[in-house]
Amino acid sequence: MTKYTNEQKLDAVIRYENSSESINEIAKRIGTSKSVVYNWIKQFQYHGLAAFEKSYTSYTAQFKMDVLNYMNENGASSDKAAVIFKISSPKLIRKWRNQLNTLGVEALFSKKKGRPSMKKESNKQTKQTPVEGSTEALQAEIERLRMENEYLKKLNALVQAKEKSPRKTK
């Protein structure tokens, strides 16, 4: 995809406005499609020189809904809506419409990009100690005693195994 400078876009619009060339001739001369040149002309007619100023825009979900509602109410194409709302590409509006139709309104909300920030505090929940004498407390105590017995049995087995094994002398 070739990028065109503001001067090239303005030159194409002026050549069309002066009726010196048709949209097809201008498009062939600069190596683009006639729909691109047509969009430049319409943008210039709606917004003047401000139409070609570059600006990064993050569109809100409300703005996206406004554009889609305008298209539905007025029967406007995505090309016309892009010109009226000063959106860089009609393809972006078609993407919004597809997202709305397939995934619903939630898909129009912006998602955070990049890696999540490192969190200083952990989200682990602290264990609540059960009330003394409750069923949960007694069960926890039984489990703790069982683990303690298992540990002691393994320790005794290791001690006995060490006593039975012959010692190596140097």
Side-chain angles (χ1 to χ4, degrees):
M1 180 173 139
T2 307
K3 295 201 175 204
Y4 298 96
T5 64
N6 292 345
E7 291 79 25
Q8 289 173 314
K9 294 175 184 180
L10 186 59
D11 181 52
V13 170
I14 290 172
R15 286 192 303 198
Y16 176 78
E17 295 282 326
N18 292 338
S19 299
S20 61
E21 295 180 65
S22 70
I23 292 177
N24 284 336
E25 291 170 341
I26 296 169
K28 284 181 185 176
R29 183 169 299 206
I30 61 175
T32 189
S33 67
K34 63 182 183 179
S35 64
V36 171
V37 175
Y38 180 77
N39 279 338
W40 292 345
I41 294 167
K42 288 297 179 186
Q43 286 175 339
F44 183 77
Q45 289 172 348
Y46 270 90
H47 304 289
L49 289 174
F52 302 133
E53 292 175 1
K54 296 273 185 202
S55 65
Y56 174 78
T57 307
S58 178
Y59 301 106
T60 64
Q62 182 61 47
F63 178 79
K64 295 173 187 179
M65 285 301 299
D66 291 343
V67 171
L68 295 173
N69 286 336
Y70 175 84
M71 289 175 57
N72 288 337
E73 291 170 3
N74 298 309
S77 66
S78 57
D79 292 334
K80 185 173 182 177
V83 168
I84 292 170
F85 289 97
K86 200 178 172 190
I87 297 172
S88 60
S89 172
K91 185 177 180 181
L92 189 58
I93 298 173
R94 290 190 289 271
K95 178 182 168 188
W96 295 343
R97 189 177 344 158
N98 287 339
Q99 286 176 335
L100 180 66
N101 292 338
T102 57
L103 302 172
V105 177
E106 294 297 319
L108 297 179
F109 288 94
S110 299
K111 279 99 180 147
K112 262 193 160 180
K113 294 182 181 177
R115 298 178 76 177
S117 62
M118 292 181 61
K119 298 178 182 172
K120 292 184 179 177
E121 54 190 68
S122 65
N123 290 337
K124 292 183 180 177
Q125 296 179 357
T126 57
K127 289 187 176 180
Q128 295 180 356
T129 56
V131 179
E132 180 97 16
S134 69
T135 309
E136 293 87 16
L138 295 174
Q139 296 234 341
E141 178 69 12
I142 291 171
E143 186 63 30
R144 188 184 63 75
L145 291 172
R146 283 184 181 155
M147 289 189 328
E148 189 176 315
N149 284 340
E150 288 296 318
Y151 176 76
L152 291 173
K153 285 180 186 177
K154 288 181 181 180
L155 183 62
N156 284 337
L158 285 173
V159 169
Q160 288 176 359
K162 189 168 185 163
E163 289 174 355
K164 289 182 180 178
S165 67
R167 295 183 186 217
K168 293 183 181 178
T169 58
K170 291 186 180 180

